[in-house]
Amino acid sequence: MTIGLLRSNKGVREITDTYKVKNVIKKSIDENSNLAGPSVTVPSDTIISKGARANQHFVLSVSLHHLGQYREAAQCVETAISIYNTLVKKEPEMFNADLAQSQDALGFYLFSLNSYEEAAGAIQVAIDIKQKLVKQDPNHNSRASLAFSMANLSENLHRLGYYEDAVVSIEAAIAIYEGPGMNNLDEYHDELARSQQTLGHCLQHLGRYEEA
């Protein structure tokens, strides 16, 4: 399953000492600290401080997943999702992308727990949000993010035996990767290749060997 959420967050991707990062972030959350710096005081009920707290939970969830603590990671990112769900009601443009990323993360953690039905549900929420974001700004990053989620959804549907639905989802991802402005970008070639491989597996399960 594609770890798209880690590719979209440079700070998370470059974590090298997971235990240290986990402890630092957990301490920060426990102390209700903010990300603006020690010299700046931000009221705990402001949108900025709530967004910072949600981000802390998200980053901690990634560290927990790296440690193999999948259930704890899921619980942690669910806290982030709960906060973001509140924030998007007031500032959707500011927090919709963060909410979608957190839903993607929840889907990935549930996949690691073999909870494919729940994972598919979490990823579908991310897809619904990302489709709206693409309509607002159809740049290649937003479309690639949507394709990541569709590919991940297909993987879960495949594990559940919903091969027809899995084909629909992965074909949608492939269509994005092969679409205008995307097919010439080298950074997406590996994702396209993986998606085509997933499509082949799904088609084989459906007995459509020539198409596979």
Side-chain angles (χ1 to χ4, degrees):
M1 182 173 175
T2 305
I3 315 176
L5 69 114
L6 299 186
R7 295 193 182 90
S8 64
N9 190 318
K10 183 178 180 181
V12 175
R13 188 177 62 238
E14 293 179 348
I15 288 175
T16 56
D17 189 343
T18 307
Y19 284 96
K20 182 177 179 181
V21 171
K22 172 194 169 185
N23 291 333
V24 169
I25 297 172
K26 188 175 187 303
K27 183 174 184 292
S28 177
I29 292 174
D30 291 341
E31 293 175 352
N32 196 27
S33 64
N34 63 74
L35 301 184
S39 63
V40 180
T41 301
V42 180
S44 61
D45 61 345
T46 65
I47 289 177
I48 293 176
S49 66
K50 287 182 179 178
R53 188 171 179 82
N55 184 66
Q56 288 175 317
H57 281 285
F58 170 79
V59 177
L60 176 58
S61 77
V62 177
S63 297
L64 289 167
H65 186 269
H66 283 175
L67 294 171
Q69 299 176 23
Y70 305 139
R71 196 167 302 280
E72 291 83 356
Q75 292 171 346
C76 194
V77 83
E78 282 175 340
T79 299
I81 289 170
S82 178
I83 298 171
Y84 282 133
N85 273 322
T86 299
L87 292 173
V88 295
K89 294 176 182 178
K90 298 180 179 179
E91 295 287 349
E93 292 185 3
M94 185 180 297
F95 294 108
N96 260 331
D98 293 320
L99 175 58
Q101 180 176 243
S102 296
Q103 288 286 164
D104 267 334
L106 178 59
F108 182 65
Y109 305 154
L110 291 170
F111 180 90
S112 298
L113 290 166
N114 300 323
S115 299
Y116 305 123
E117 194 85 47
E118 293 86 349
I123 296 169
Q124 184 61 59
V125 174
I127 289 173
D128 292 342
I129 297 170
K130 291 182 179 184
Q131 287 175 329
K132 295 177 183 178
L133 294 175
V134 168
K135 287 182 179 179
Q136 295 170 4
D137 184 11
N139 61 73
H140 69 85
N141 287 324
S142 65
R143 285 182 288 152
S145 181
L146 176 58
F148 282 140
S149 296
M150 287 180 164
N152 289 344
L153 175 61
S154 177
E155 186 69 38
N156 281 280
L157 294 172
H158 178 269
R159 295 296 181 98
L160 290 165
Y162 302 150
Y163 302 124
E164 291 282 2
D165 293 332
V167 167
V168 171
S169 186
I170 199 63
E171 284 183 336
I174 291 172
I176 293 173
Y177 288 130
E178 294 181 337
M182 299 283 288
N183 55 344
N184 293 325
L185 298 176
D186 292 340
E187 60 188 297
Y188 301 124
H189 285 176
D190 288 345
E191 296 301 333
L192 174 59
R194 276 191 283 269
S195 296
Q196 290 171 331
Q197 185 178 46
T198 298
L199 175 60
H201 291 159
C202 293
L203 292 172
Q204 286 177 357
H205 276 102
L206 290 169
R208 296 159 60 179
Y209 301 112
E210 291 186 4
E211 296 174 71

